[in-house]
Amino acid sequence: MIRRSLIVGCGAYLPERIVTNEELVTRVDTSDEWIRERTGITQRHIAADDQKTSDLAVMAGRDALSRAGISAEQLDLLIVATATPDNTFPSTATKVQAQLGMTGGAAFDIQAVCSGFIFALATADNFIRSGTVKTALVIGAETFSRILDWNDRNTCVLFGDGAGAVVLKAADMPNSTAELGVLSTHLHSDGRYHDLLYVDGGPSSGQTVGHLRMEGKEVFRHAVVNLAKVVDEALTANNLTPKDIQWLVPHQANRRILEGTARKLNFPLDQVVVTVDRHANTSAASVPLALAEAVHDGRIKQGDLVLLEAMGGGFTWGSALVRM
Ligand code: COA
């Protein structure tokens, strides 16, 4: 027998307020045409003033739990991937734990910026494979609107707020039928690229929250290379070719990065889940939001082989291959 993590429910939450490109034109020197052409983004959701990252996470978490038919008391692990926690401490995950009514187990945050959900999923999967956890809730939640420099047109047009979640459940299966659930995860980081994408503040760096700073062109160049590499790595590790994959669920940073990665892999664009046009880049929330959308609208079906991938500040990057 072998133990695997099955995804038994997906959840999503997007704040009500939608900010269109046209609205941004009133704030910075930009245009709807520039944003659409260079990024594919047409709008983004922005959290209300009284909505914190934990509030978004709770909504997505509740959605995933109810679709999985699992109560919060049954959870023995809760991980929140976020780069925009409510507070310096305690973790956003412990706040979410309390709001969901999860009384046992452990809750903690993971910080890998836009790759955060993949890092959190890999962590939960390893806890399940090792036998220490049976049921886990993994959430990616962000309020990037709070760390944007709204006077910097290079960055403020690119991001949005939101949260996505999955429930993982341990399943023991004979080796012969073990091709179900999370099949592999691969994580990478290279801290030498810190200066290309970072926030210029934090508790130990000037005691301000700070603003996101990015060398967009350089990040773009590394993203296409690293994402193609990490997809290749997942396929090779599982003896697969792109033809075996039904759906690619990439981090949603820029439509041109999605297209570049798909082209490099010779992967058909109509099998790539795209939400960047409506959500913009929601960092750690982007992959679970895209996954939830495609599962809930029926595109991703039970038995489909789905490849999740992301890259973010650090740099960090990684993949997860899942048989749904
Ligand atoms: N509106 C209008 N013009 C803008 C603009 C905006 N919102 N933002 C930048 N520009 C201008 C620049 O100032 C520059 O003008 P200049 O040539 O007079 O200096 C010009 O547009 C081109 O800028 P450039 O940075 O070369 O554009 P680009 O084609 O590289 O696109 C990004 C910029 C940010 C969209 C793109 O580099 C990108 O998506 N990078 C990756 C970002 C990312 O994925 N980050 C998160 C990773 S997790």
Side-chain angles (χ1 to χ4, degrees):
M1 295 290 266
I2 197 160
R3 181 160 286 193
R4 288 276 187 261
S5 319
L6 304 184
I7 294 186
V8 293
C10 295
Y13 176 74
L14 289 160
E16 255 174 56
R17 179 157 181 248
I18 291 175
V19 173
T20 61
N21 292 346
E22 285 81 5
E23 190 175 338
L24 289 182
V25 173
T26 64
R27 289 186 187 212
V28 285
D29 180 15
T30 189
S31 66
D32 176 47
E33 192 192 4
W34 191 94
I35 302 172
R36 278 176 198 260
E37 263 177 24
R38 307 310 294 163
T39 71
I41 297 165
T42 64
Q43 60 168 51
R44 68 285 294 140
H45 292 252
I46 299 290
D49 289 347
D50 62 352
Q51 270 184 319
K52 296 190 173 71
T53 294
S54 61
D55 298 316
L56 277 50
V58 166
M59 297 295 278
R62 277 201 189 119
D63 187 25
L65 285 170
S66 94
R67 289 173 191 269
I70 281 173
S71 72
E73 298 97 75
Q74 288 172 270
L75 293 172
D76 35 29
L77 179 67
L78 165 60
I79 307 181
V80 175
T82 188
T84 46
D86 288 13
N87 300 102
T88 302
F89 79 78
S91 67
T92 301
T94 51
K95 294 180 75 175
V96 174
Q97 181 187 28
Q99 286 189 60
L100 287 177
M102 172 185 166
T103 46
F108 57 85
D109 288 358
I110 274 191
Q111 219 296 32
V113 205
C114 299
S115 315
F117 179 77
I118 303 286
F119 276 57
L121 185 69
T123 305
D125 178 49
N126 278 293
F127 272 111
I128 287 176
R129 282 175 185 247
S130 71
T132 26
V133 160
K134 281 206 167 69
T135 314
L137 176 61
V138 181
I139 306 176
E142 303 278 17
T143 48
F144 258 50
S145 61
R146 306 274 154 75
I147 54 163
L148 294 176
D149 176 351
W150 286 100
N151 296 313
D152 177 14
R153 69 174 185 177
N154 291 294
T155 53
C156 77
V157 303
L158 303 173
F159 296 90
D161 301 335
V166 298
V167 179
L168 295 179
K169 206 165 168 15
D172 292 321
M173 49 191 95
N175 280 5
S176 54
T177 59
E179 294 306 304
L180 207 57
V182 181
L183 302 183
S184 70
T185 55
H186 290 91
L187 304 182
H188 299 275
S189 61
D190 189 339
R192 289 174 299 173
Y193 296 103
H194 167 278
D195 292 354
L196 297 184
L197 179 52
Y198 66 103
V199 168
D200 60 0
S204 175
S205 307
Q207 296 177 358
T208 61
V209 171
H211 290 119
L212 182 147
R213 305 294 175 203
M214 180 172 70
E215 299 291 336
K217 237 186 185 28
E218 279 299 299
V219 175
F220 191 104
R221 208 167 54 79
H222 284 280
V224 176
V225 173
N226 286 345
L227 291 172
K229 259 200 220 159
V230 88
V231 169
D232 257 346
E233 178 184 40
L235 294 174
T236 306
N238 291 280
N239 289 318
L240 299 169
T241 69
K243 284 193 172 54
D244 298 311
I245 306 293
Q246 275 77 52
W247 291 100
L248 186 65
V249 182
H251 170 51
Q252 311 282 321
N254 183 321
R255 201 182 163 95
R256 289 189 294 139
I257 296 178
L258 308 188
E259 289 169 353
T261 312
R263 219 176 8 251
K264 245 185 156 85
L265 294 161
N266 227 346
F267 194 79
L269 254 184
D270 58 4
Q271 285 167 251
V272 180
V273 179
V274 179
T275 55
V276 67
D277 52 332
R278 289 155 292 126
H279 301 174
N281 181 350
T282 58
S283 184
S286 95
V287 169
L289 273 170
L291 179 67
E293 181 175 288
V295 167
H296 297 160
D297 70 18
R299 273 179 290 170
I300 294 180
K301 296 184 178 59
Q302 212 153 15
D304 280 355
L305 205 47
V306 178
L307 187 52
L308 317 175
E309 45 92 331
M311 144 132 188
F315 288 147
T316 55
W317 64 102
S319 73
L321 183 71
V322 184
R323 174 83 69 185
M324 299 296 290

